[in-house]
Amino acid sequence: MTTYPFAFDPSKPFIEQASDWIADVFYEVLPEVGFEVRDEQIYMAFQLERAYKEKKTIFAEAGVGTGKTLVYLLYAIAYARYMRKPAIIACADESLIEQLVKPEGDIAKLARHLSLTIDARLGKSPDQYICLNKLDEGRSGLDEDADVFRDIYQGLPDFVHFPDTLQSFTPYGNRKEYPELTDGQWSRLGWDVFQDCLVCHQRHRCGQTLSRDHYRKAADLVICSHDFYMEHVWTYEARKREGQLPLLPEHSSVVFDEGHLLETAAQNALTYKLKHTQFESIITRLLEGEVRESLAMTIEDAISQSEALFAALNKNSQPVQGSNRKEFILNESLIREVNRFGELIGTIEEELVFESGLFSLDEYQVKIVEEHLDMIQTALALFKRPELLISWVTEDQDGLTLVVMPKMVKEILKERVFAQHIPIVFSSATLSVEGSFDYMAQSLGIENPLTFSVASPYDYSDQMQAALYPLQAGHNPIQRALTLLKKSQGRALILFPSQEELTAFQRGLAAYPEASAYRFLYEGSAEISHLISAFQNDVESVLCAVTLWEGLDIPGPSLSHVIIWSLPFPPNDPVFTALRKDAADPFNEIDMPHMALRLRQGIGRLIRSRNDQGWISIMGHDLNRPEVRTQVEQLLPAGVECTVIEGKPEGIKTCLILQHIQ
């Protein structure tokens, strides 16, 4: 592999030479193999030149069809070779990663048409890999899934069963390798945050561990999710203290594809999760050695106090409608339980200082326990500043989990991400709200970013039709959806704002015999890229999804109709509840911007090429509010014919408004 894809003159600035080469690629090389010259790509390339030259953060808002992925890939690869460090391409989720690296994806196109050998490796999130311990537990069960899990175990590479047979890197255990498993089945096998990998006796033959060693050696690109990148940022110092390598290698630049979703990923990564069973499992390791009686008694007291704390949480919590979370009231009694637990943790930490001088405990085990105790103390400290705290509980078969999240993440992002003095690119078709990038910049703590916006080259007035369907009391949304599906003969993507709404639709559909005319594919029923492939290949099928508002790229007749089940306002959960409490005008400061960004993304799933034609159908009770309807109409691409239809689906005769959105 040559160092640079162009003749490099060390007497001239590298970025300027790279920019000239990229211009040649778009003006000369790609058109020769059938690509069209796009002014939007050239404009974006010159904008990115400044970001790479000045090592600044840039908001690159480019509409559908501008070819923005090719632009940022070319800069990222060239700059990675110049700096001798790979670039990180962070995508919003795993399905977007798969689309980037698929055989006909943009990386493969560049490699083929530019005769480049591109070393791009996947850094998938831990929860995308089988946990061998959970697999052992699942295959030993007596339920109906046990046979499936036993077959998976038998199909693992030989070195998993016989470690001495490992000769070279062999990837295995990736969620994508088991497309037929439902999300529920995968949750019983996949890694989760409560797995203690540091002391796992199977870690050196674990698919996650082996893949991590592999992608760290990438020369050009490491492709991961937003969540994984933020996990890398958040655990960087802790892993160094534990003598571990960071999750990601040192890198030359970062691209956040669908960057408008980074704040959510940051919140997820900066979240603490506390569980009594995990605490007891880790803290009792100290009792395996010879310890002083005072330490042993404090450990027993801490375990009892942990039980008391989670019992109090269970007593004070109640389900949140429209969410899988439970909220609790932080009253004086609960605060006392939290403080008591924190005091006992502090006493154990002090006792360990004395114990370490006696050398009676395994040093490695003590380090793990100390890290866990430090994490608990940091989480509990937030309860002393409730104005900075968002917390809730979830419940599964192993009991309650206490989730603690700092309310504001922008200070951490500013310090640990945007202070790196490297080029950082936010790429998306939806980074601005009403022409301003302030909402994104302020929520992420970015000062003075570079910005630009280019529109899509598609003729939406000719390619897209849109209709709004305000729902009234007594309207049947399922019947409405089935009526809409007749228009396109299936071939539709139905987007739901929440899993609960998708599940209700799936259950309710059984009462409608006419639904049997279509093959419905439901997110969660199989691995997501497998579902997407099935939808694309079965032209008249219907894909029902919650997470595919962004990134789904299916040109052609398979996706001729996007049906928005209801407007994607923020969910009713503790995170957005806290944000609303801090806003002077919650609806206009929190709810509407969130809805607008996501709805624009959903609309963008329809037209993916110059030859595409189709419909956008938007349903919902919120469309009865004039200010909401006006905002939705303004979010449609310029020139799109928008019809507002009132009334029940049967016997439609009330086309009230026909207008062009300019």
Side-chain angles (χ1 to χ4, degrees):
M1 179 175 65
T2 57
T3 304
Y4 305 120
F6 53 87
F8 174 58
D9 182 350
S11 67
K12 298 179 181 179
F14 174 81
I15 292 300
E16 292 181 9
Q17 295 180 71
S19 184
D20 289 342
W21 168 69
I22 291 170
D24 289 341
V25 168
F26 289 127
Y27 278 124
E28 299 176 9
V29 180
L30 292 182
E32 288 183 0
V33 292
F35 287 73
E36 63 179 290
V37 177
R38 296 177 180 174
D39 292 338
E40 296 85 2
Q41 277 183 321
I42 305 300
Y43 179 77
M44 180 176 177
F46 283 112
Q47 296 298 315
L48 289 195
E49 177 186 2
R50 182 182 172 191
Y52 276 83
K53 181 185 296 183
E54 299 179 12
K55 299 180 181 179
K56 297 192 69 172
T57 297
I58 186 168
F59 288 147
E61 183 177 63
V64 176
T66 55
K68 54 184 175 291
T69 305
L70 293 179
V71 180
Y72 73 61
L73 283 175
L74 289 171
Y75 269 102
I77 292 168
Y79 194 66
R81 297 186 179 187
Y82 176 63
M83 297 297 293
R84 302 295 192 270
K85 298 175 185 177
I88 302 295
I89 310 296
C91 301
D93 56 37
E94 301 296 332
S95 64
L96 287 168
I97 292 175
E98 293 296 337
Q99 294 206 52
L100 190 61
V101 301
K102 61 187 179 182
E104 67 277 17
D106 287 330
I107 293 176
K109 290 176 183 176
L110 287 179
R112 181 168 63 253
H113 297 309
L114 302 181
S115 299
L116 283 177
T117 300
I118 301 174
D119 185 10
R121 308 188 187 190
L122 296 184
K124 283 185 169 274
S125 299
D127 60 7
Q128 294 295 304
Y129 290 95
I130 282 176
C131 170
L132 295 176
N133 291 325
K134 291 176 72 174
L135 177 58
D136 287 342
E137 182 179 340
R139 68 189 177 91
S140 63
L142 300 176
D143 57 85
E144 59 184 12
D145 289 331
D147 287 339
V148 175
F149 298 156
R150 282 190 281 270
D151 289 342
I152 290 174
Y153 178 78
Q154 292 299 323
L156 296 179
D158 287 343
F159 65 78
V160 178
H161 309 295
F162 312 104
D164 58 322
T165 61
L166 178 59
Q167 300 295 325
S168 61
F169 170 71
T170 305
Y172 84 94
N174 187 329
R175 171 71 170 105
K176 194 172 185 295
E177 297 171 24
Y178 307 99
E180 302 296 342
L181 292 183
T182 66
D183 285 357
Q185 289 173 315
W186 180 256
S187 69
R188 297 181 58 189
L189 301 183
W191 179 91
D192 63 62
V193 70
F194 296 112
Q195 303 306 308
D196 192 353
C197 300
L198 288 177
V199 295
C200 177
H201 67 285
Q202 304 194 80
R203 69 187 304 264
H204 295 298
R205 47 185 167 150
C206 168
Q208 177 193 160
T209 302
L210 295 174
S211 295
R212 190 168 294 165
D213 292 339
H214 177 67
Y215 72 67
R216 282 196 182 107
K217 300 171 184 175
D220 293 324
L221 305 173
V222 177
I223 303 162
C224 66
S225 66
H226 289 180
D227 286 345
F228 193 53
Y229 185 82
M230 293 312 306
E231 185 73 15
H232 158 76
V233 170
W234 187 232
T235 62
Y236 184 85
E237 294 297 336
R239 292 181 67 86
K240 287 176 65 177
R241 287 196 300 269
E242 294 168 356
Q244 301 184 82
L245 290 172
L247 292 177
L248 292 168
E250 279 195 63
H251 40 278
S252 54
S253 65
V254 184
V255 176
F256 293 114
D257 200 352
E258 303 298 354
H260 63 286
L261 297 175
L262 183 64
E263 184 182 17
T264 301
Q267 288 176 324
N268 292 337
L270 304 186
T271 294
Y272 302 94
K273 293 184 178 181
L274 311 182
K275 200 178 191 103
H276 169 70
T277 53
Q278 185 196 33
F279 170 71
E280 184 175 19
S281 171
I282 290 178
I283 200 68
T284 52
R285 294 174 188 170
L286 297 176
L287 300 178
E288 295 174 1
E290 296 182 5
V291 298
R292 291 172 298 117
E293 183 178 0
S294 60
L295 175 57
M297 292 181 63
T298 306
I299 289 172
E300 294 296 336
D301 288 344
I303 292 172
S304 297
Q305 182 58 32
S306 175
E307 290 179 317
L309 171 59
F310 279 89
L313 286 168
N314 188 45
K315 180 180 179 180
N316 286 280
S317 63
Q318 56 185 6
V320 176
Q321 186 176 2
S323 171
N324 61 353
R325 300 168 175 177
K326 300 171 72 175
E327 62 182 0
F328 57 86
I329 304 299
L330 192 59
N331 53 35
E332 291 185 6
S333 174
L334 193 54
I335 290 175
R336 281 197 299 271
E337 300 290 354
V338 169
N339 291 338
R340 172 64 177 154
F341 187 44
E343 290 168 2
L344 287 168
I345 297 298
T347 302
I348 292 174
E349 290 176 317
E350 293 173 0
E351 292 277 356
L352 286 176
V353 175
F354 292 104
E355 204 71 42
S356 62
L358 301 176
F359 303 103
S360 59
L361 295 174
D362 179 86
E363 183 179 353
Y364 183 62
Q365 290 284 3
V366 170
K367 185 181 293 187
I368 294 171
V369 173
E370 287 177 334
E371 281 292 336
H372 189 70
L373 295 180
D374 183 62
M375 179 271 291
I376 292 176
Q377 287 287 54
T378 303
L380 296 181
L382 287 171
F383 282 90
K384 298 177 181 178
R385 299 282 305 277
E387 73 277 7
L388 304 179
L389 171 71
I390 303 173
S391 59
W392 64 90
V393 294
T394 60
E395 188 171 15
D396 58 23
Q397 64 271 18
D398 295 326
L400 288 184
T401 297
L402 172 62
V403 185
V404 180
M405 175 189 291
K407 187 175 292 185
M408 302 300 288
V409 301
K410 62 182 181 182
E411 290 81 4
I412 297 171
L413 288 171
K414 183 177 179 179
E415 175 187 348
R416 302 191 187 184
V417 178
F418 304 117
Q420 294 182 85
H421 197 55
I422 61 174
I424 297 177
V425 178
F426 283 79
S427 174
S428 176
T430 55
L431 291 171
S432 65
V433 177
E434 297 181 355
S436 171
F437 294 90
D438 290 347
Y439 176 74
M440 280 287 300
Q442 292 171 6
S443 65
L444 295 171
I446 302 174
E447 297 179 356
N448 303 315
L450 303 176
T451 66
F452 74 89
S453 181
V454 290
S456 169
Y458 298 148
D459 183 1
Y460 285 100
S461 62
D462 182 59
Q463 295 179 256
M464 177 188 292
Q465 296 180 47
L468 309 185
Y469 298 88
L471 296 180
Q472 307 287 345
H475 284 185
N476 186 330
I478 295 180
Q479 185 64 62
R480 169 71 72 192
L482 290 171
T483 301
L484 292 172
L485 289 174
K486 290 181 182 179
K487 178 189 295 188
S488 54
Q489 298 179 310
R491 309 168 190 258
L493 169 69
I494 307 180
L495 290 171
F496 296 83
S498 69
Q499 183 62 47
E500 290 75 20
E501 290 177 87
L502 186 152
T503 301
F505 172 79
Q506 184 177 0
R507 291 173 178 169
L509 207 60
Y512 296 85
E514 60 268 39
S516 62
Y518 311 104
R519 179 191 179 192
F520 286 88
L521 302 166
Y522 297 98
E523 183 176 353
S525 64
E527 191 270 330
I528 189 65
S529 63
H530 176 73
L531 282 176
I532 292 171
S533 178
F535 172 61
Q536 187 167 14
N537 292 325
D538 185 350
V539 175
E540 296 184 356
S541 62
V542 179
L543 178 58
C544 304
V546 176
T547 67
L548 296 179
W549 296 77
E550 294 89 8
L552 184 66
D553 185 12
I554 301 182
S558 294
L559 208 174
S560 299
H561 197 169
V562 173
I563 300 173
I564 308 295
W565 179 256
S566 63
L567 294 178
F569 282 106
N572 181 27
D573 69 10
V575 176
F576 282 100
T577 298
L579 292 174
R580 293 183 184 106
K581 287 180 180 178
D582 291 340
D585 183 359
F587 185 72
N588 288 309
E589 292 178 24
I590 305 299
D591 292 2
M592 286 293 278
H594 177 92
M595 184 277 291
L597 285 175
R598 203 151 202 226
L599 182 59
R600 283 175 63 195
Q601 283 286 340
I603 292 169
R605 297 315 98 211
L606 180 64
I607 304 301
R608 308 301 299 181
S609 76
R610 293 189 186 276
N611 298 320
D612 283 352
Q613 299 273 343
W615 297 269
I616 296 289
S617 299
I618 304 174
M619 304 193 302
H621 296 281
D622 291 301
L623 290 171
N624 292 297
R625 302 172 63 174
E627 71 275 23
V628 173
R629 181 183 295 184
T630 299
Q631 175 77 359
V632 170
E633 291 172 343
Q634 291 174 350
L635 293 173
L636 293 166
V640 170
E641 185 178 280
C642 178
T643 307
V644 180
I645 298 178
E646 315 258 6
K648 296 184 179 181
E650 59 275 7
I652 291 176
K653 56 182 179 181
T654 51
C655 180
L656 298 184
I657 302 175
L658 181 62
Q659 61 182 359
H660 291 279
I661 308 302
Q662 300 298 335

